[in-house]
Amino acid sequence: MRIVLVGPPGAGKGTQATRLAEKLRVPHISTGDLFRANISQKTELGKLAKSYMDAGNLVPDEVTIAMAKDRMEQPDAELGFLLDGFPRNVSQAEALDEVLTTEGIKLDAVLDLEAPEAEVVKRIAGRRICRNDSAHVFHVTYKQPAEAGVCDVCGGELYQRDDDSEDTVRTRLEVYHTQTEPIIDYYKAQGLVVTISAMGKVDEVTARAMGALQRDEDGK
Ligand SMILES: [Zn+2]
């Protein structure tokens, strides 16, 4: 299956992408990984992307698209892939369509993870990270440490990353609404959108997503 995963920050998209890719036996292609891989392997595209990033600029869509195209042409992506973080705006979605058309392939579904704004703000703004190890993650509501402000694992101090502050979350949501949400309408016009709720436990959301993709497949 060839799938695009979309959803607002805080909807658990990255976690679901990893799990769904495993269940569907397709590579999980995320823009973050593409950038890291191209930069560490010093590919031409990686060097180009790095020059923009070093100058504090956004990497142009053409560069991101070229990286995604390279990745989708790898043998492990022949039978499918799950795109995460790409396309992130309508012009990238149009460029992706062009690439797919050239390759003679089509998307099977665009999985839209839905979560109420109040909930995603609560999820992200409540996150607290250990100063000693960023893998020690807590939450003021959902995963409270035994002692407030102290890591259960190592006793380190817990803090809120700047990225997780309520103001930053609201700004990221705004960017999502203005730039990424329009791609849902773009794909609705192609009859590709499958919407599910991203609320509840991680396992429940994965099961819901697999069920919805299966029903979508059967209905075609
Ligand atoms: Zn810790």
Side-chain angles (χ1 to χ4, degrees):
M1 280 190 108
R2 300 185 180 93
I3 298 170
V4 169
L5 191 58
V6 291
K13 190 160 63 74
T15 307
Q16 293 303 331
T18 308
R19 298 168 67 105
L20 292 170
E22 203 177 289
K23 287 196 184 290
L24 296 164
R25 295 198 188 89
V26 295
H28 168 201
I29 303 179
S30 83
T31 31
D33 290 343
L34 282 180
F35 278 40
R36 277 188 288 276
N38 277 276
I39 290 171
S40 74
Q41 289 159 23
K42 297 192 166 57
T43 64
E44 289 308 313
L45 289 169
K47 286 183 213 163
L48 195 56
K50 193 167 184 301
S51 69
Y52 285 99
M53 289 156 80
D54 286 348
N57 294 319
L58 283 175
V59 177
D61 282 352
E62 302 86 69
V63 178
T64 309
I65 292 155
M67 282 183 191
K69 180 173 185 290
D70 276 358
R71 183 63 188 86
M72 289 185 290
E73 286 170 349
Q74 299 297 311
D76 67 336
E78 201 174 329
L79 295 177
F81 48 73
L82 188 148
L83 297 178
D84 164 19
F86 171 86
R88 63 167 63 238
N89 57 46
V90 171
S91 88
Q92 287 191 354
E94 288 168 349
L96 174 63
D97 271 350
E98 274 177 41
V99 170
L100 297 176
T101 304
T102 312
E103 316 255 331
I105 54 180
K106 280 185 177 151
L107 291 175
D108 293 297
V110 174
L111 185 66
D112 172 25
L113 295 181
E114 249 183 3
E117 180 147 340
E119 178 60 25
V120 302
V121 171
K122 194 175 168 189
R123 280 190 195 181
I124 298 178
R127 219 183 264 159
R128 295 293 180 272
I129 317 284
C130 175
R131 290 217 186 264
N132 294 337
D133 187 338
S134 60
H136 302 165
V137 182
F138 297 84
H139 194 281
V140 294
T141 310
Y142 302 124
K143 198 186 171 200
Q144 297 175 338
E147 189 183 336
V150 180
C151 176
D152 280 354
V153 185
C154 71
E157 185 198 350
L158 299 180
Y159 75 108
Q160 182 186 45
R161 289 187 308 195
D162 289 345
D163 263 7
D164 294 344
S165 76
E166 187 164 337
D167 281 351
T168 311
V169 177
R170 298 228 181 254
T171 309
R172 285 163 64 194
L173 280 168
E174 192 54 43
V175 171
Y176 179 77
H177 289 316
T178 54
Q179 306 207 354
T180 307
E181 259 178 9
I183 73 174
I184 295 169
D185 288 331
Y186 174 85
Y187 285 126
K188 269 187 183 158
Q190 301 183 17
L192 288 173
V193 178
V194 177
T195 303
I196 64 152
S197 163
M199 303 295 290
K201 294 200 169 68
V202 172
D203 281 344
E204 291 166 2
V205 179
T206 308
R208 200 177 290 146
M210 288 299 291
L213 290 171
Q214 194 59 52
R215 278 193 300 281
D216 183 61
E217 183 89 317
D218 292 346
K220 276 180 183 163

